[in-house]
Amino acid sequence: IGRQDKDFQFAAAVAGFGMILRDSPYKGTYTLAAVKKLAAAAKGKDPNGYRAEFIALVKKARKLKKIQAKNESRQTHGPLGTMPPKLKQIRNPKKIGCHASACRSMR
C-alpha cells in the first residue's frame, strides 16, 4: 500500500502540473510550489530518473513563471515601476512652489 500511495501522490502532482500549465479553472489554488513539494515527497524509488526529471521540470517552470511575472510588471509599469506621486511633483518644481537652488536649476 505504501508504494501505491506514493504512485498516486506523484500522479496527482503530474495532473496538477498539467492543470496549472493549461490554466484550468479546476486547478483551484494549487501552485507550482505545491506540485514540487508533493512530487518530491512522493518520488520514492526512481530507477530510471523520470520522477527526478519531472521535479526538475517543475523547478524550471517556477523560474520561468517568476521571469514572466517580472517582465509583465515591467511592461505595465516601465523598467523602474510606477513613479510615486511625490517624485512626480519634484519633476515639476513650479507646481509645488519650490524655491531651493536645486529646484531653480530644474526650471
Side-chain angles (χ1 to χ4, degrees):
I1 286 181
R3 178 68 187 164
Q4 291 171 347
D5 288 342
K6 296 282 185 190
D7 289 342
F8 182 77
Q9 289 175 355
F10 195 83
V14 173
F17 184 62
M19 284 190 279
I20 290 170
L21 290 180
R22 294 184 54 85
D23 197 23
S24 169
Y26 302 109
K27 75 180 183 314
T29 58
Y30 206 48
T31 64
L32 290 173
V35 168
K36 181 184 157 283
K37 185 177 179 180
L38 182 60
K43 182 180 172 194
K45 292 182 182 178
D46 187 19
N48 297 319
Y50 297 134
R51 292 181 180 206
E53 190 174 342
F54 173 75
I55 293 167
L57 183 65
V58 173
K59 288 178 185 178
K60 288 178 185 178
R62 287 182 71 195
K63 286 180 185 178
L64 287 173
K65 190 155 181 97
K66 288 178 185 177
I67 291 169
Q68 180 185 20
K70 192 180 291 186
N71 287 339
E72 287 174 357
S73 174
R74 285 184 182 156
Q75 289 174 357
T76 305
H77 304 295
L80 300 176
T82 56
M83 185 180 290
K86 287 188 178 190
L87 288 179
K88 286 182 184 177
Q89 290 175 348
I90 292 171
R91 283 186 138 182
N92 192 349
K94 292 178 185 177
K95 282 189 175 178
I96 59 171
C98 182
H99 299 290
S101 62
C103 289
R104 282 191 292 259
S105 67
M106 292 174 68
R107 293 180 187 173

